[in-house]
Every structure is written in structure tokens, then in C-alpha cells.
Amino acid sequence: SLKNPDDSDKHEMLHNPIYQKNVCLGCHSHKRNSHDVLIFSAIKNDQDSTECIKCHMPYIAGGVEKMNKKGRERHRSHSFAGIHNIEMIKNSVDISLAVKNNTIEVTLKNKMPHPLIIQAARLKYLKITLTRDGKIIWQNYSKSPMEDKQGAFVIEFLDKDNKPVVIPAFAYKRGFNNNLEAKETRILKYKLPSIKSGDIIKASMYVVLAKPSCSDDLDLKDTSLTKPTVMKSVKYLFEKK
């Protein structure tokens, strides 16, 4: 999208609207397997690549890599920052908390112009704890985030016999599917046995790059793919009025 561009041996550098409007669509708009099962969907029909470029190819200082003939002050980064970039994931979602009649209301806002979950291997989940006098007395799940269906954001698949299948290429249909759509705000409610003044509520959104079923099936050794990373975390001190 440069004006008056330099020559390049990497790709055509002419000022072409295709690079701004449609460059991401061919590979990243959606994907279906050979059974016509939707694996992911990132861009709706009324969207184009300009929003993708804005986030994943932001302007940075300096000229185009290895080419500074025209003394440019900035260019679009080609590092394609995404889910592996800690700053990107921290800025992708907002969380706020409220307590009403022994009920925790967690408001989640997906700030991204695409769904919260795109790639099928991912798991994003909410962990909520209620602490009293330094001790956790309640949380939204005990062992697995999947125990809390409304707070687990993941796409699962089934085979032709309705049995779970990990590799999307072999799927015949979608199974469990919980997601936040682009720019969606959703309120999740959790009923508590009791809440007292001085109690601390903490809500954190985590991301796992390779969900447990995927990492187990593929026998992944890279722990960075299976370690939960905090996307956003907030605390709420309950004070009875």
C-alpha cells in the first residue's frame, strides 16, 4: 500500500487496492474440510482486509526492510504479530465484574474484529475465584476449565458416529462450540452460596495455544503450547453497603 514504492523482488509493490481490501481474504476468511465442515471463520462478508492489516501489520518507524532509498519515516510491519505476541493477547479482551444478590456478573468484551477463537487448536477460558480471609472458598471449576461450559471458549469436532475427533480434517460435524463473535459483549452469571464484606473476587481469562485434547493426541513436547497464558485479570473487593 506504499505510494511511490521502491522495486521489490518479494511481491508487486504497486499501489494496488487489492493489498488493502482483499489481500488477507483468500487464506484467512474461512476454512472448510473435505466434508464441508467449517473449521474456522475469521472475516464476515461485510468485512475486508483493512482491519486485519491495521492490527497485524501496524505502522512502525523506519523504511521498508532492506530498502530505505526514499528515506521513509514509517512502514507496515511484516512481523505479523498475533496470538504468540503477549501485548496483542492482553489487548484483545476486556473483563469487568459486578455482584448482585449473591450473583457474580462477569462482563466479557471481545475487542477484536474477528471471533475470540479462530484456530481449532486453541482454548480460551475464564477462571473465577472467591477468596475469604486469604482462602479460596469457591471457584467456577475444580479441575478442568471445561467443567464451566459458559466460561470455556473452544471449538470441538465430531466424527460420523458423533464421537470426538481432534484433527479437524477428519471431522464430519461440529460438536461443542462456544465463542465470542467479533466485538461481542457477553454477561456471564455465577450464583454463589454466600458473599460477605471483604471477600475478593478475581476473574482471569487464559489462552492455551494447544488445547489438552490436541496436545495429547499429537504428543506435543513444546510446553509453551500447553501452558496457560493470562490475557486479562481483574479483582473486585466486595463491600456490603
Side-chain angles (χ1 to χ4, degrees), residues 73-162:
E73 295 182 355
R74 65 177 188 170
H75 69 282
R76 290 207 174 271
S77 170
H78 281 58
S79 62
F80 298 102
I83 200 169
H84 293 271
N85 182 290
I86 190 66
E87 293 303 319
M88 288 283 284
I89 65 173
K90 284 184 176 181
N91 291 323
S92 63
V93 65
D94 275 339
I95 306 175
S96 61
L97 295 173
V99 176
K100 300 178 181 178
N101 300 322
N102 284 340
T103 298
I104 300 175
E105 292 189 355
V106 184
T107 301
L108 299 177
K109 180 180 180 181
N110 179 15
K111 298 165 64 177
M112 298 178 291
H114 58 67
L116 186 67
I117 291 287
I118 296 180
Q119 292 191 10
R122 313 299 188 211
L123 167 64
K124 296 178 182 179
Y125 64 91
L126 193 63
K127 181 176 182 179
I128 311 169
T129 58
L130 174 64
T131 302
R132 180 177 299 162
D133 299 325
K135 182 180 179 180
I136 295 176
I137 63 170
W138 177 91
Q139 60 187 42
N140 61 321
Y141 66 87
S142 58
K143 294 182 179 180
S144 168
M146 294 303 296
E147 296 169 24
D148 176 19
K149 296 299 184 183
Q150 68 170 339
F153 299 92
V154 67
I155 302 170
E156 302 285 2
F157 297 92
L158 303 172
D159 64 14
K160 59 184 177 180
D161 297 318
N162 291 321

Coordinates of all heavy atoms in Angstrom, one line a residue, residues 73-162:
E73 N 9.7 7.5 6.8 CA 9.7 7.6 8.2 C 9.0 6.4 8.9 O 9.2 6.1 10.0 CB 9.0 8.9 8.6 CG 9.7 10.1 8.2 CD 9.0 11.4 8.7 OE1 7.9 11.3 9.2 OE2 9.6 12.5 8.4
R74 N 8.1 5.7 8.1 CA 7.4 4.5 8.7 C 7.0 3.6 7.6 O 7.0 3.9 6.4 CB 6.2 5.0 9.5 CG 5.1 5.6 8.6 CD 3.9 5.9 9.5 NE 2.8 6.4 8.6 CZ 1.5 6.5 9.1 NH1 1.2 6.3 10.3 NH2 0.6 6.9 8.2
H75 N 6.7 2.4 8.0 CA 6.2 1.4 7.0 C 5.4 0.3 7.8 O 5.5 0.3 9.1 CB 7.4 0.7 6.3 CG 8.2 -0.2 7.1 ND1 9.2 0.3 8.0 CD2 8.2 -1.6 7.3 CE1 9.8 -0.7 8.6 NE2 9.2 -1.8 8.3
R76 N 4.7 -0.5 7.2 CA 3.9 -1.5 7.8 C 4.7 -2.7 8.2 O 5.4 -3.3 7.3 CB 2.7 -1.9 7.0 CG 1.6 -0.8 6.9 CD 0.2 -1.4 6.7 NE -0.8 -0.4 6.7 CZ -1.4 0.0 7.8 NH1 -1.1 -0.6 9.0 NH2 -2.4 0.9 7.8
S77 N 4.7 -3.1 9.4 CA 5.5 -4.2 9.9 C 5.1 -5.5 9.2 O 3.9 -5.8 9.0 CB 5.3 -4.4 11.4 OG 5.9 -5.6 11.9
H78 N 6.1 -6.3 8.9 CA 5.8 -7.7 8.4 C 6.1 -8.8 9.4 O 6.2 -9.9 9.0 CB 6.6 -7.9 7.1 CG 6.1 -7.2 5.9 ND1 5.9 -5.8 5.9 CD2 5.7 -7.7 4.7 CE1 5.4 -5.5 4.7 NE2 5.3 -6.6 3.9
S79 N 6.1 -8.4 10.7 CA 6.3 -9.5 11.7 C 5.0 -10.2 12.0 O 5.0 -11.3 12.6 CB 6.8 -8.8 13.0 OG 5.8 -7.9 13.5
F80 N 3.8 -9.7 11.5 CA 2.5 -10.3 11.7 C 2.2 -10.8 13.1 O 2.0 -12.0 13.3 CB 2.4 -11.5 10.7 CG 2.5 -11.1 9.2 CD1 3.6 -11.3 8.5 CD2 1.4 -10.5 8.6 CE1 3.7 -10.9 7.2 CE2 1.5 -10.1 7.3 CZ 2.6 -10.2 6.6
A81 N 2.3 -9.9 14.0 CA 2.1 -10.2 15.4 C 0.6 -10.7 15.6 O -0.3 -10.3 15.0 CB 2.2 -8.9 16.3
G82 N 0.5 -11.7 16.4 CA -0.8 -12.4 16.7 C -0.9 -13.0 18.0 O -0.4 -12.4 19.0
I83 N -1.4 -14.2 18.1 CA -1.6 -14.9 19.4 C -0.4 -15.2 20.1 O -0.4 -15.5 21.3 CB -2.5 -16.1 19.2 CG1 -3.2 -16.5 20.5 CG2 -1.8 -17.3 18.6 CD1 -4.3 -17.5 20.3
H84 N 0.8 -15.3 19.5 CA 2.1 -15.5 20.1 C 2.7 -14.3 20.7 O 3.7 -14.3 21.4 CB 3.0 -16.1 19.1 CG 2.7 -17.5 18.7 ND1 3.0 -18.7 19.4 CD2 1.9 -17.9 17.6 CE1 2.5 -19.7 18.7 NE2 1.8 -19.3 17.7
N85 N 2.0 -13.1 20.5 CA 2.5 -11.8 21.0 C 1.7 -11.5 22.2 O 0.5 -11.3 22.2 CB 2.3 -10.8 19.9 CG 2.9 -9.4 20.3 OD1 2.3 -8.8 21.2 ND2 4.0 -9.0 19.7
I86 N 2.4 -11.3 23.4 CA 1.8 -11.1 24.6 C 1.0 -9.8 24.7 O -0.1 -9.7 25.3 CB 2.8 -11.2 25.8 CG1 2.1 -11.2 27.2 CG2 3.8 -10.0 25.7 CD1 1.3 -12.4 27.4
E87 N 1.5 -8.8 24.0 CA 0.8 -7.5 24.0 C -0.5 -7.6 23.2 O -1.5 -7.0 23.6 CB 1.7 -6.4 23.5 CG 2.9 -6.1 24.4 CD 2.5 -5.7 25.8 OE1 1.5 -4.9 25.9 OE2 3.1 -6.2 26.7
M88 N -0.5 -8.3 22.2 CA -1.7 -8.5 21.3 C -2.8 -9.2 22.1 O -3.9 -8.8 22.1 CB -1.3 -9.3 20.1 CG -0.5 -8.5 19.0 SD -1.5 -7.4 18.1 CE -2.4 -8.5 17.0
I89 N -2.4 -10.3 22.8 CA -3.5 -11.0 23.5 C -4.0 -10.3 24.7 O -5.2 -10.4 25.1 CB -3.0 -12.4 23.9 CG1 -1.8 -12.4 25.0 CG2 -2.6 -13.2 22.7 CD1 -1.5 -13.8 25.5
K90 N -3.1 -9.4 25.4 CA -3.6 -8.6 26.5 C -4.6 -7.6 26.1 O -5.4 -7.1 26.9 CB -2.4 -8.0 27.2 CG -1.6 -9.0 28.1 CD -0.5 -8.3 28.9 CE 0.2 -9.3 29.8 NZ 1.3 -8.7 30.6
N91 N -4.5 -7.1 24.9 CA -5.3 -6.0 24.4 C -6.6 -6.6 23.6 O -7.3 -5.8 23.1 CB -4.6 -5.1 23.5 CG -3.5 -4.3 24.2 OD1 -3.8 -3.9 25.4 ND2 -2.4 -4.0 23.6
S92 N -6.8 -7.9 23.6 CA -7.8 -8.4 22.8 C -9.2 -8.6 23.5 O -10.2 -8.7 22.9 CB -7.4 -9.8 22.3 OG -7.2 -10.7 23.4
V93 N -9.2 -8.5 24.8 CA -10.4 -8.8 25.6 C -10.4 -7.9 26.8 O -9.4 -7.6 27.4 CB -10.6 -10.3 25.9 CG1 -9.5 -10.7 26.9 CG2 -11.9 -10.6 26.5
D94 N -11.6 -7.5 27.2 CA -11.8 -6.7 28.5 C -12.7 -7.5 29.4 O -13.6 -8.2 28.9 CB -12.4 -5.3 28.2 CG -11.4 -4.3 27.9 OD1 -10.2 -4.5 28.2 OD2 -11.8 -3.3 27.3
I95 N -12.5 -7.4 30.7 CA -13.3 -8.0 31.7 C -13.7 -7.0 32.8 O -12.9 -6.2 33.2 CB -12.5 -9.2 32.4 CG1 -12.0 -10.2 31.4 CG2 -13.4 -9.9 33.4 CD1 -11.1 -11.2 32.1
S96 N -15.0 -7.1 33.2 CA -15.4 -6.3 34.3 C -16.3 -7.1 35.2 O -16.9 -8.1 34.8 CB -16.2 -5.0 33.9 OG -17.3 -5.3 33.1
L97 N -16.4 -6.8 36.5 CA -17.1 -7.6 37.5 C -18.1 -6.8 38.2 O -17.9 -5.6 38.5 CB -16.1 -8.2 38.5 CG -15.1 -9.2 38.0 CD1 -14.1 -9.5 39.2 CD2 -15.8 -10.5 37.6
A98 N -19.2 -7.4 38.6 CA -20.2 -6.8 39.5 C -20.9 -7.9 40.3 O -20.9 -9.1 39.9 CB -21.3 -6.1 38.6
V99 N -21.4 -7.6 41.5 CA -22.0 -8.5 42.3 C -23.4 -8.0 42.6 O -23.6 -6.9 43.1 CB -21.2 -8.7 43.7 CG1 -22.0 -9.7 44.6 CG2 -19.9 -9.3 43.4
K100 N -24.4 -8.9 42.4 CA -25.8 -8.6 42.6 C -26.5 -9.8 43.2 O -26.6 -10.8 42.6 CB -26.5 -8.2 41.3 CG -25.9 -7.0 40.6 CD -26.6 -6.7 39.3 CE -26.0 -5.5 38.6 NZ -26.7 -5.2 37.3
N101 N -27.0 -9.6 44.5 CA -27.7 -10.7 45.2 C -27.0 -12.0 45.1 O -27.6 -13.0 44.7 CB -29.1 -10.8 44.6 CG -29.9 -9.5 44.7 OD1 -29.8 -8.8 45.7 ND2 -30.7 -9.2 43.6
N102 N -25.8 -12.0 45.6 CA -25.0 -13.3 45.7 C -24.7 -13.9 44.3 O -24.5 -15.1 44.2 CB -25.7 -14.3 46.6 CG -25.5 -14.0 48.1 OD1 -24.6 -13.3 48.4 ND2 -26.3 -14.6 48.9
T103 N -24.8 -13.1 43.3 CA -24.5 -13.5 41.9 C -23.4 -12.7 41.4 O -23.4 -11.4 41.4 CB -25.7 -13.4 41.0 OG1 -26.8 -14.2 41.5 CG2 -25.4 -13.8 39.6
I104 N -22.3 -13.3 40.9 CA -21.3 -12.6 40.2 C -21.7 -12.4 38.7 O -22.0 -13.4 38.0 CB -19.9 -13.4 40.2 CG1 -19.5 -13.6 41.7 CG2 -18.8 -12.7 39.5 CD1 -18.3 -14.5 41.8
E105 N -21.6 -11.2 38.2 CA -21.8 -10.9 36.8 C -20.4 -10.6 36.2 O -19.8 -9.6 36.6 CB -22.8 -9.8 36.6 CG -24.2 -10.2 37.0 CD -25.2 -9.1 36.6 OE1 -24.8 -8.1 36.1 OE2 -26.4 -9.4 36.8
V106 N -20.0 -11.4 35.3 CA -18.7 -11.2 34.6 C -19.1 -10.7 33.2 O -19.7 -11.4 32.4 CB -17.9 -12.5 34.5 CG1 -16.5 -12.2 33.8 CG2 -17.7 -13.1 35.9
T107 N -18.6 -9.5 32.8 CA -18.9 -8.9 31.5 C -17.6 -9.1 30.7 O -16.5 -8.6 31.1 CB -19.3 -7.5 31.6 OG1 -20.5 -7.3 32.3 CG2 -19.5 -6.9 30.2
L108 N -17.7 -9.8 29.6 CA -16.6 -10.0 28.7 C -16.8 -9.3 27.4 O -17.9 -9.3 26.8 CB -16.4 -11.5 28.3 CG -16.2 -12.5 29.5 CD1 -16.1 -13.9 29.0 CD2 -14.9 -12.1 30.2
K109 N -15.8 -8.6 26.9 CA -15.9 -7.9 25.7 C -14.8 -8.3 24.8 O -13.6 -8.1 25.1 CB -15.9 -6.3 25.9 CG -16.0 -5.6 24.6 CD -15.9 -4.1 24.8 CE -16.0 -3.3 23.5 NZ -16.0 -1.8 23.7
N110 N -15.1 -8.9 23.6 CA -14.1 -9.2 22.6 C -13.8 -7.9 21.8 O -14.7 -7.4 21.1 CB -14.7 -10.3 21.7 CG -13.7 -10.7 20.6 OD1 -12.5 -10.3 20.7 ND2 -14.1 -11.4 19.6
K111 N -12.6 -7.4 22.0 CA -12.3 -6.1 21.3 C -11.8 -6.3 19.9 O -11.6 -5.4 19.1 CB -11.2 -5.4 22.1 CG -11.6 -5.1 23.5 CD -10.4 -4.8 24.4 CE -9.7 -3.5 24.0 NZ -8.6 -3.2 24.9
M112 N -11.7 -7.6 19.5 CA -11.1 -7.9 18.1 C -12.2 -7.9 17.1 O -13.4 -8.2 17.3 CB -10.4 -9.2 18.1 CG -9.2 -9.3 19.1 SD -8.4 -10.9 19.1 CE -9.7 -11.9 19.9
P113 N -11.9 -7.5 15.8 CA -12.9 -7.6 14.7 C -13.0 -8.9 14.1 O -13.5 -9.1 13.0 CB -12.3 -6.6 13.7 CG -10.8 -6.7 13.9 CD -10.6 -6.9 15.4
H114 N -12.7 -10.0 14.9 CA -12.9 -11.4 14.5 C -13.3 -12.2 15.7 O -13.1 -11.7 16.9 CB -11.7 -11.9 13.7 CG -10.4 -11.9 14.5 ND1 -10.2 -12.7 15.7 CD2 -9.3 -11.2 14.3 CE1 -9.0 -12.5 16.1 NE2 -8.4 -11.6 15.3
P115 N -13.8 -13.4 15.6 CA -14.2 -14.2 16.8 C -13.0 -14.4 17.7 O -11.8 -14.3 17.4 CB -14.6 -15.5 16.2 CG -15.1 -15.1 14.8 CD -14.1 -14.1 14.3
L116 N -13.4 -14.6 19.0 CA -12.4 -14.9 20.0 C -11.5 -16.1 19.7 O -10.3 -16.1 19.9 CB -13.0 -15.0 21.4 CG -12.1 -15.1 22.6 CD1 -11.4 -13.8 22.9 CD2 -13.0 -15.5 23.8
I117 N -12.2 -17.1 19.2 CA -11.5 -18.4 18.8 C -11.6 -18.5 17.3 O -12.6 -18.4 16.7 CB -12.1 -19.6 19.4 CG1 -11.9 -19.7 20.9 CG2 -11.6 -20.9 18.8 CD1 -10.5 -20.0 21.4
I118 N -10.4 -18.6 16.7 CA -10.4 -18.9 15.2 C -9.8 -20.2 14.9 O -10.5 -21.1 14.5 CB -9.6 -17.8 14.5 CG1 -10.2 -16.4 14.7 CG2 -9.5 -18.1 13.0 CD1 -9.5 -15.3 14.0
Q119 N -8.6 -20.5 15.3 CA -7.9 -21.7 15.0 C -8.5 -22.8 16.0 O -8.7 -22.6 17.2 CB -6.4 -21.6 15.1 CG -5.8 -20.8 14.1 CD -4.3 -20.9 14.0 OE1 -3.7 -21.8 14.7 NE2 -3.7 -20.1 13.3
A120 N -8.7 -24.0 15.4 CA -9.4 -25.0 16.2 C -8.6 -25.6 17.3 O -9.1 -26.2 18.2 CB -9.8 -26.2 15.2
A121 N -7.3 -25.4 17.3 CA -6.4 -26.0 18.4 C -6.5 -25.2 19.7 O -6.1 -25.6 20.8 CB -5.0 -26.0 17.9
R122 N -7.0 -23.9 19.6 CA -7.0 -23.0 20.8 C -8.0 -23.3 21.9 O -9.1 -23.9 21.6 CB -7.2 -21.6 20.4 CG -6.4 -21.1 19.2 CD -4.9 -21.2 19.4 NE -4.2 -20.6 18.3 CZ -3.0 -21.0 17.9 NH1 -2.4 -22.0 18.4 NH2 -2.4 -20.4 16.8
L123 N -7.7 -22.9 23.1 CA -8.7 -22.9 24.2 C -8.5 -21.6 25.0 O -7.4 -21.3 25.3 CB -8.4 -24.1 25.1 CG -9.1 -24.1 26.5 CD1 -10.6 -24.1 26.3 CD2 -8.7 -25.2 27.4
K124 N -9.6 -20.9 25.1 CA -9.5 -19.7 26.0 C -10.6 -19.9 27.0 O -11.7 -20.4 26.7 CB -9.8 -18.5 25.2 CG -8.7 -18.2 24.1 CD -9.0 -16.9 23.3 CE -7.9 -16.8 22.3 NZ -8.1 -15.6 21.4
Y125 N -10.3 -19.6 28.3 CA -11.2 -19.9 29.3 C -11.1 -18.9 30.5 O -10.1 -18.2 30.7 CB -11.0 -21.3 29.9 CG -9.6 -21.6 30.6 CD1 -9.5 -21.4 31.9 CD2 -8.5 -22.0 29.8 CE1 -8.3 -21.6 32.6 CE2 -7.3 -22.2 30.5 CZ -7.2 -22.0 31.8 OH -6.0 -22.2 32.4
L126 N -12.2 -18.9 31.2 CA -12.4 -18.0 32.4 C -12.2 -18.7 33.7 O -12.7 -19.8 33.9 CB -13.7 -17.3 32.3 CG -14.0 -16.1 33.2 CD1 -13.2 -14.9 32.8 CD2 -15.5 -15.8 33.1
K127 N -11.3 -18.2 34.5 CA -11.1 -18.7 35.9 C -11.6 -17.7 36.9 O -11.1 -16.6 36.9 CB -9.7 -19.1 36.1 CG -9.5 -19.7 37.5 CD -8.1 -20.2 37.7 CE -7.9 -20.9 39.1 NZ -6.5 -21.3 39.3
I128 N -12.5 -18.0 37.7 CA -13.1 -17.1 38.7 C -12.9 -17.7 40.1 O -13.2 -18.9 40.3 CB -14.6 -16.9 38.5 CG1 -14.9 -16.5 37.0 CG2 -15.1 -15.7 39.4 CD1 -16.3 -16.5 36.7
T129 N -12.4 -16.9 41.0 CA -12.2 -17.4 42.4 C -12.8 -16.4 43.4 O -12.9 -15.2 43.1 CB -10.7 -17.6 42.8 OG1 -10.0 -16.3 42.6 CG2 -10.1 -18.6 41.9
L130 N -13.4 -16.9 44.5 CA -13.9 -16.1 45.6 C -13.0 -16.4 46.8 O -12.9 -17.6 47.3 CB -15.3 -16.5 45.9 CG -15.9 -15.8 47.1 CD1 -16.0 -14.3 47.0 CD2 -17.3 -16.3 47.4
T131 N -12.3 -15.4 47.3 CA -11.3 -15.6 48.4 C -11.9 -14.9 49.6 O -12.2 -13.7 49.6 CB -9.9 -15.0 48.0 OG1 -9.5 -15.7 46.9 CG2 -8.9 -15.3 49.1
R132 N -11.8 -15.6 50.8 CA -12.2 -15.0 52.0 C -11.1 -15.3 53.1 O -10.8 -16.5 53.3 CB -13.6 -15.6 52.5 CG -14.1 -15.1 53.8 CD -15.5 -15.7 54.1 NE -16.4 -15.3 53.1 CZ -17.6 -16.0 52.9 NH1 -17.9 -17.0 53.6 NH2 -18.4 -15.6 51.9
D133 N -10.6 -14.3 53.7 CA -9.6 -14.4 54.7 C -8.4 -15.2 54.2 O -7.8 -16.0 54.8 CB -10.1 -15.1 56.0 CG -11.2 -14.3 56.6 OD1 -11.2 -13.0 56.6 OD2 -12.2 -14.9 57.2
G134 N -8.0 -14.9 52.9 CA -6.9 -15.5 52.3 C -7.1 -16.9 51.8 O -6.1 -17.5 51.3
K135 N -8.3 -17.4 51.9 CA -8.6 -18.8 51.4 C -9.6 -18.8 50.3 O -10.7 -18.1 50.5 CB -9.0 -19.6 52.6 CG -9.3 -21.1 52.3 CD -9.8 -21.9 53.5 CE -10.1 -23.3 53.1 NZ -10.5 -24.1 54.3
I136 N -9.3 -19.6 49.3 CA -10.3 -19.7 48.2 C -11.5 -20.6 48.7 O -11.2 -21.8 49.0 CB -9.7 -20.3 46.9 CG1 -8.6 -19.3 46.3 CG2 -10.8 -20.6 45.8 CD1 -7.9 -19.8 45.1
I137 N -12.7 -20.0 48.7 CA -13.8 -20.8 49.2 C -14.8 -21.2 48.0 O -15.7 -22.0 48.2 CB -14.6 -20.0 50.2 CG1 -15.2 -18.7 49.7 CG2 -13.7 -19.7 51.5 CD1 -16.2 -18.0 50.6
W138 N -14.5 -20.7 46.8 CA -15.4 -21.0 45.7 C -14.6 -20.7 44.4 O -13.8 -19.7 44.3 CB -16.7 -20.3 45.7 CG -17.6 -20.5 44.5 CD1 -18.5 -21.5 44.4 CD2 -17.5 -19.8 43.2 NE1 -19.1 -21.4 43.1 CE2 -18.5 -20.4 42.4 CE3 -16.8 -18.8 42.7 CZ2 -18.8 -20.0 41.1 CZ3 -17.0 -18.3 41.4 CH2 -18.0 -19.0 40.6
Q139 N -14.8 -21.5 43.4 CA -14.3 -21.2 42.1 C -15.2 -21.9 41.0 O -15.9 -22.8 41.3 CB -12.8 -21.6 41.9 CG -12.5 -23.1 42.0 CD -11.0 -23.3 42.0 OE1 -10.2 -22.6 42.6 NE2 -10.6 -24.4 41.3
N140 N -15.1 -21.4 39.8 CA -16.0 -21.8 38.8 C -15.8 -23.2 38.2 O -16.6 -23.8 37.5 CB -16.1 -20.8 37.6 CG -14.8 -20.6 36.9 OD1 -13.7 -20.6 37.5 ND2 -14.8 -20.5 35.6
Y141 N -14.6 -23.8 38.5 CA -14.4 -25.2 38.2 C -13.4 -25.8 39.2 O -12.6 -25.0 39.8 CB -13.9 -25.4 36.7 CG -12.6 -24.7 36.4 CD1 -11.4 -25.5 36.6 CD2 -12.5 -23.4 36.0 CE1 -10.1 -24.9 36.4 CE2 -11.2 -22.9 35.7 CZ -10.1 -23.6 35.9 OH -8.8 -23.0 35.7
S142 N -13.3 -27.1 39.3 CA -12.4 -27.7 40.2 C -11.1 -28.2 39.6 O -10.0 -27.9 40.1 CB -13.0 -28.8 41.0 OG -13.5 -29.8 40.0
K143 N -11.2 -28.9 38.4 CA -10.0 -29.4 37.8 C -9.8 -28.9 36.4 O -8.8 -28.5 36.0 CB -10.1 -31.0 37.8 CG -10.0 -31.6 39.2 CD -10.0 -33.1 39.1 CE -9.9 -33.7 40.5 NZ -9.9 -35.2 40.5
S144 N -10.9 -29.0 35.6 CA -10.8 -28.7 34.1 C -11.6 -27.5 33.8 O -12.8 -27.4 34.3 CB -11.2 -29.9 33.3 OG -11.3 -29.4 31.9
P145 N -11.1 -26.5 33.1 CA -12.0 -25.4 32.6 C -13.2 -25.8 31.9 O -14.2 -25.1 31.9 CB -11.0 -24.6 31.7 CG -9.7 -25.0 32.1 CD -9.8 -26.4 32.5
M146 N -13.2 -27.0 31.3 CA -14.3 -27.5 30.5 C -15.5 -27.8 31.4 O -16.6 -28.0 30.9 CB -13.9 -28.7 29.7 CG -12.9 -28.4 28.6 SD -13.5 -27.1 27.4 CE -14.9 -27.9 26.7
E147 N -15.3 -27.8 32.7 CA -16.4 -28.0 33.6 C -17.4 -26.9 33.6 O -18.6 -27.0 33.9 CB -15.9 -28.2 35.1 CG -15.1 -29.5 35.3 CD -14.4 -29.5 36.6 OE1 -14.8 -28.8 37.5 OE2 -13.3 -30.1 36.7
D148 N -16.9 -25.7 33.3 CA -17.7 -24.5 33.2 C -18.0 -24.2 31.7 O -17.1 -23.5 31.1 CB -17.0 -23.3 33.9 CG -17.8 -22.0 33.7 OD1 -19.0 -22.0 33.4 OD2 -17.1 -20.9 33.9
K149 N -19.0 -24.7 31.2 CA -19.3 -24.6 29.7 C -19.5 -23.1 29.3 O -19.1 -22.8 28.1 CB -20.5 -25.4 29.4 CG -20.4 -26.9 29.6 CD -19.3 -27.5 28.8 CE -19.2 -29.0 28.9 NZ -18.1 -29.6 28.2
Q150 N -20.0 -22.3 30.1 CA -20.2 -20.9 29.6 C -18.9 -20.1 29.6 O -18.7 -19.1 28.9 CB -21.3 -20.2 30.4 CG -20.9 -19.9 31.9 CD -21.9 -18.9 32.5 OE1 -22.6 -18.2 31.9 NE2 -21.9 -18.9 33.9
G151 N -17.9 -20.6 30.4 CA -16.6 -19.8 30.5 C -15.5 -20.5 29.8 O -14.4 -20.0 29.8
A152 N -15.8 -21.5 29.0 CA -14.8 -22.2 28.2 C -15.1 -21.9 26.7 O -16.1 -22.2 26.2 CB -14.8 -23.7 28.4
F153 N -14.1 -21.3 26.1 CA -14.3 -20.9 24.7 C -13.4 -21.7 23.8 O -12.2 -21.6 23.8 CB -14.0 -19.4 24.5 CG -14.9 -18.5 25.4 CD1 -14.5 -18.1 26.7 CD2 -16.1 -18.1 24.9 CE1 -15.3 -17.3 27.4 CE2 -16.9 -17.3 25.7 CZ -16.5 -16.9 27.0
V154 N -14.1 -22.6 23.1 CA -13.3 -23.6 22.3 C -14.3 -24.2 21.2 O -15.5 -24.1 21.3 CB -12.9 -24.8 23.3 CG1 -14.1 -25.5 23.8 CG2 -11.9 -25.7 22.6
I155 N -13.7 -24.7 20.2 CA -14.4 -25.4 19.1 C -14.0 -26.8 19.1 O -12.8 -27.2 19.0 CB -14.1 -24.7 17.7 CG1 -14.4 -23.3 17.7 CG2 -14.9 -25.4 16.6 CD1 -13.9 -22.5 16.5
E156 N -15.0 -27.7 19.2 CA -14.7 -29.2 19.2 C -15.4 -29.8 18.0 O -16.3 -29.2 17.4 CB -15.3 -29.8 20.5 CG -14.7 -29.3 21.8 CD -13.3 -29.8 22.0 OE1 -12.7 -30.5 21.2 OE2 -12.7 -29.4 23.1
F157 N -14.9 -31.0 17.6 CA -15.4 -31.6 16.4 C -15.8 -33.1 16.7 O -15.4 -33.7 17.6 CB -14.4 -31.6 15.3 CG -14.1 -30.2 14.8 CD1 -13.0 -29.5 15.4 CD2 -14.8 -29.5 13.9 CE1 -12.7 -28.2 15.1 CE2 -14.5 -28.2 13.5 CZ -13.4 -27.6 14.1
L158 N -16.7 -33.6 15.8 CA -17.2 -35.0 15.9 C -17.0 -35.7 14.6 O -16.9 -35.1 13.5 CB -18.7 -35.0 16.3 CG -19.1 -34.2 17.5 CD1 -20.6 -34.2 17.6 CD2 -18.5 -34.9 18.8
D159 N -16.8 -37.1 14.7 CA -16.8 -37.9 13.5 C -18.2 -38.3 13.1 O -19.2 -37.8 13.7 CB -15.9 -39.1 13.7 CG -16.4 -40.1 14.8 OD1 -17.6 -40.0 15.2 OD2 -15.6 -41.0 15.2
K160 N -18.3 -39.2 12.1 CA -19.6 -39.5 11.6 C -20.5 -40.3 12.6 O -21.7 -40.5 12.4 CB -19.5 -40.3 10.3 CG -18.7 -41.6 10.4 CD -18.5 -42.2 9.0 CE -17.7 -43.5 9.1 NZ -17.5 -44.1 7.7
D161 N -19.8 -40.9 13.7 CA -20.5 -41.6 14.7 C -20.7 -40.7 16.0 O -21.0 -41.2 17.1 CB -19.8 -42.9 15.1 CG -19.6 -43.8 14.0 OD1 -20.6 -44.0 13.2 OD2 -18.6 -44.4 13.8
N162 N -20.6 -39.4 15.8 CA -20.7 -38.5 16.9 C -19.7 -38.6 18.0 O -20.0 -38.3 19.2 CB -22.2 -38.5 17.5 CG -23.2 -37.9 16.5 OD1 -22.9 -37.0 15.8 ND2 -24.3 -38.6 16.4

